[in-house]
Amino acid sequence: MSIDMHCHLDLYPQPELVVEESKLRGTYILSVTTTPKAWHGTSLLAQKNQRIRTALGLHPQLAHKRSHELDLFDSLLAKTRYVGEIGLDGAKEFKEYWNIQLKVFRHILTSVNQAGGKIMSIHSRGSASAVLDEIKNIDGVVILHWFSGTPKQLERAIDLGCWFSVGPAMLDTIKGRSLTLKIPKSRILTETDGPFGKFCNKTLMPWDNEITENQLATLWGMSRNDIKLKLLDNLNNLCSL
């Protein structure tokens, strides 16, 4: 059993096979989408595995191309408890689209707030301060996926009640390990970001968070079994919010 709280299940070459293997391994998956139009097909994958939940998203890197899907986003929002992947991206190749990213993100957060809050998987590459500014008065639970901000931004995110999903690629870096050590153990979950996430030049699969469990065991000085129990407890606590 492992947990993948940020996985692009629909973007694997053969997602049905990934679903079946995940079912055999007992893997819990939050299957995030990058556009509202992807929601229907991706949610059908979850019907074959009770441990998969599908999140409704509009990725910030696609905001300038898919902002016209916001009405569709709003019409689908009541169908799920989970929203993602959403957020902001401050990388130089997306800077020119910052205004439309912000417009899309604000629209989504407003819709989530009006819906009474959701569990959200949020992208904050190069944009942590701006993301934290936008979420501070929004109802719901924020999971910052693959957080890469500064220690001060991390402290602010923790104060705001954010959760964090970490994976093999993040924990393979000095900065990633340093940030993870500062996060309360009770607010950490595992992720792969597959099929985009890679480790040792191999595409990560949802069940590969066994790697993350080993990394956390080393980082925290705990046994692998205790790590598993802690992560499952965290997942149960998240779902009870």
Side-chain angles (χ1 to χ4, degrees):
M1 184 281 294
S2 60
I3 299 164
D4 192 348
M5 284 303 292
H6 190 99
C7 178
H8 298 270
L9 189 57
D10 61 320
L11 298 181
Y12 283 99
Q14 295 178 293
E16 293 85 2
L17 296 182
V18 179
V19 169
E20 287 303 313
E21 184 65 22
S22 297
K23 187 174 183 178
L24 289 173
R25 293 172 179 259
T27 306
Y28 293 94
I29 300 173
L30 181 61
S31 172
V32 298
T33 50
T34 56
T35 69
K37 281 189 176 178
W39 162 263
H40 179 69
T42 307
S43 62
L44 290 179
L45 293 170
Q47 293 180 353
K48 302 173 184 177
N49 187 332
Q50 292 184 345
R51 291 188 174 185
I52 297 175
R53 296 292 182 269
T54 308
L56 174 65
L58 205 168
H59 199 290
Q61 294 176 358
L62 297 176
H64 61 291
K65 296 179 179 179
R66 299 298 188 103
S67 61
H68 61 278
E69 293 184 31
L70 285 173
D71 286 345
L72 178 58
F73 180 96
D74 291 344
S75 70
L76 294 170
L77 187 56
K79 296 180 180 291
T80 182
R81 191 185 176 197
Y82 302 88
V83 168
E85 182 171 2
I86 60 170
L88 298 170
D89 194 306
K92 61 181 180 180
E93 62 266 39
F94 298 104
K95 271 291 189 181
E96 65 180 297
Y97 308 117
W98 182 258
N99 288 339
I100 188 65
Q101 283 190 51
L102 200 55
K103 179 181 178 181
V104 166
F105 190 42
R106 285 174 174 170
H107 178 104
I108 289 172
L109 291 177
T110 298
S111 296
V112 166
N113 208 39
Q114 291 173 347
K118 303 285 182 178
I119 295 174
M120 298 170 277
S121 185
I122 295 185
H123 178 111
S124 60
R125 184 177 70 154
S127 60
S129 287
V131 165
L132 297 176
D133 286 344
E134 297 301 321
I135 65 167
K136 61 184 178 182
N137 295 314
I138 300 299
D139 196 9
V141 181
V142 169
I143 306 171
L144 293 173
H145 134 71
W146 199 332
F147 184 79
S148 59
T150 66
K152 186 165 285 191
Q153 290 166 342
L154 174 63
E155 185 178 337
R156 184 182 174 205
I158 292 169
D159 288 343
L160 286 171
C162 295
W163 288 60
F164 303 83
S165 54
V166 303
M170 177 179 173
L171 292 175
D172 197 37
T173 67
I174 293 172
K175 180 180 181 180
R177 292 191 295 272
S178 176
L179 289 171
T180 301
L181 279 170
K182 294 178 171 65
I183 299 171
K185 292 182 179 68
S186 59
R187 283 198 239 158
I188 284 186
L189 291 161
T190 48
E191 66 158 69
T192 63
D193 200 23
F196 302 109
K198 299 187 186 305
F199 185 73
C200 296
N201 296 317
K202 293 183 179 179
T203 296
L204 288 165
M205 308 303 290
W207 50 86
D208 282 333
N209 271 316
E210 293 178 354
I211 298 169
T212 318
E213 293 166 6
N214 285 330
Q215 291 169 314
L216 289 173
T218 300
L219 196 64
W220 291 345
M222 296 169 62
S223 72
R224 171 84 177 280
N225 187 59
D226 285 345
I227 290 292
K228 278 184 170 293
L229 291 173
K230 180 60 180 170
L231 292 171
L232 185 58
D233 186 52
N234 288 352
L235 180 63
N236 288 334
N237 289 338
L238 175 76
C239 292
S240 70
L241 294 174

